[in-house]
Amino acid sequence: RSPYMVAAMSSMSAEEEDEARERRLAEIEFVRSAYGEDEAWVVDEKLTIYRRLLVSSSDGNVIHVLLSLTMPDGYPIDEEAILVIDARISDDAVGASSSSCTAKNMRKMVMDSLPSLIEACRLSALEYVGSESIFAVLSRADEWISVDFVDIVESSNHINTDDANEVEIISKCDNGLVLGRRLIHSHHIIAQSKRKAVVELADQYNLGGYSKIGWPGVIVIEGEESDCMAYVDEIRSMRWQHLAVRGEEQLAVRDQDELEQTRVLPNKMQELGDDMSCIAERCKDAGLEELFLTSMKIYSKKESVSSDASNQKANTESSSYSYGALCHVDHMRDGKGYRKWLRKASVAAGCKLLVKASDSNVKRPLVIVSILGEESDVKRVLKRWRTSRVDVDSAGKPCLERMMTVMTEGKLSLLQHKTVDIDSLDQEDQLIVSDQTLCDILQVIGGTEWLNEIESLMHLR
């Protein structure tokens, strides 16, 4: 036992030690019940939880990452007893094509990114000092796999093309002057130091725009392209739980006067509140609605994607959403298990699923489920949903869903104009959204009909 652990124990009474031990055992039982034996396991002697994370690439390579969470004596009561977190690539690290060059590059990328995973999990643990943090850290690890690492891969792919893109932009204008815009998405912007830095850095680089604080954080900047690039580089060097550039625009201009006249955002950075609808409205008024929608990973097809092949794939996927069902669920007692069942049922039927909850009522959020695909496939999911035990009752026993309502279903037409990354939108960390964001997403998917349905439901609350 380490001196640190002894010190933590010595400051606690026997009653507190017993309570801490019971709460640690409760978290261990949670892990054993929530995950399969191959997904997570516990070494009781060390009070260490191991979680296997699967990092996959588009070409089928899979890296196994082993995340370890060790609970020190005094955890979770003692505020100084913080989870000891580490991660490594497992011995069974790569899938069938492990000898390929692509697989080796993938392994190296994961290896280089492990400090980012560990840091993200440690920051999550620090947010819950003095209380149970296992679930929060494991959820953050899953989020890192599905969001952060995807952004790391995308950033890596873009590095190889940035120079060529810059040459192409500059070639459009003799003097190389370009007006640039960026939309930057972060897990949150709360700390006063971060809020101050966001505004002061923009002033330093002569950039204007908006900074939306809270969860999530959204920064929109506008100014000379080279200044936008420098701003992004500098802000990335700070410690963030998650931060990524979701959207960007470049416009070639003749001179500095034209650059200033082309600006549509405030010349000085303005900090907005935590209401997403506020920055959404400001961007829409400025004619930058499509740039704002990238904050939710909704992209216009005319915007550049990583390659022609990516565009073709996106077009094929979006065109397959020919039919949709918009559903309201009164409540989910076992929310995580319920949503997991919905996702598995949708995948099995070849459909896409989107689950969102409005944050306007924390005690009783408005839960909306969208199912997209071919008509026969969507109807198959709905039928299975009504006849399966998807939730638990007040006694914790599996039960049928009796309070799900299909608000509207039918053919979709609006999606042919948009490329919507449903998989990225349907993430646990993006489950709770504002009323306005929920309306914006559903309008993009189902047009005016879906928007009218959700607005009518909100009005009845």
Side-chain angles (χ1 to χ4, degrees), residues 41 88 114 195 274 308 336 343 365 384 389 398 439:
W41 58 94
R88 62 179 174 83
L114 287 183
R195 292 168 58 179
D274 61 358
D308 291 338
K336 183 178 179 181
R343 291 184 180 112
R384 186 178 173 190
R389 300 182 185 276
C439 288

Side-chain angles (χ1 to χ4, degrees), residues 145-204:
I145 294 294
S146 61
V147 179
D148 297 47
F149 187 72
V150 172
D151 288 329
I152 290 172
V153 173
E154 290 177 353
S155 297
S156 175
N157 291 337
H158 290 160
I159 287 174
N160 296 327
T161 58
D162 278 347
D163 292 341
N165 290 340
E166 188 174 351
V167 170
E168 181 181 354
I169 292 168
I170 292 175
S171 66
K172 296 177 181 177
C173 186
D174 291 341
N175 60 11
L177 201 57
V178 176
L179 174 70
R181 300 187 183 107
R182 298 289 190 281
L183 185 138
I184 305 168
H185 182 277
S186 73
H187 184 272
H188 62 264
I189 302 177
I190 296 295
Q192 288 291 340
S193 58
K194 292 276 182 65
R195 292 168 58 179
K196 183 179 179 182
V198 167
V199 175
E200 289 185 350
L201 273 176
D203 186 57
Q204 176 182 330

Side-chain angles (χ1 to χ4, degrees), residues 26 30 35 68 87-88 154 184 213 259 283 322 376 395 398 418 420:
F30 157 75
Y35 297 95
S68 64
R88 62 179 174 83
E154 290 177 353
I184 305 168
I213 62 174
L259 186 145
C283 289
S322 60
S376 59
K418 296 284 182 181
V420 183

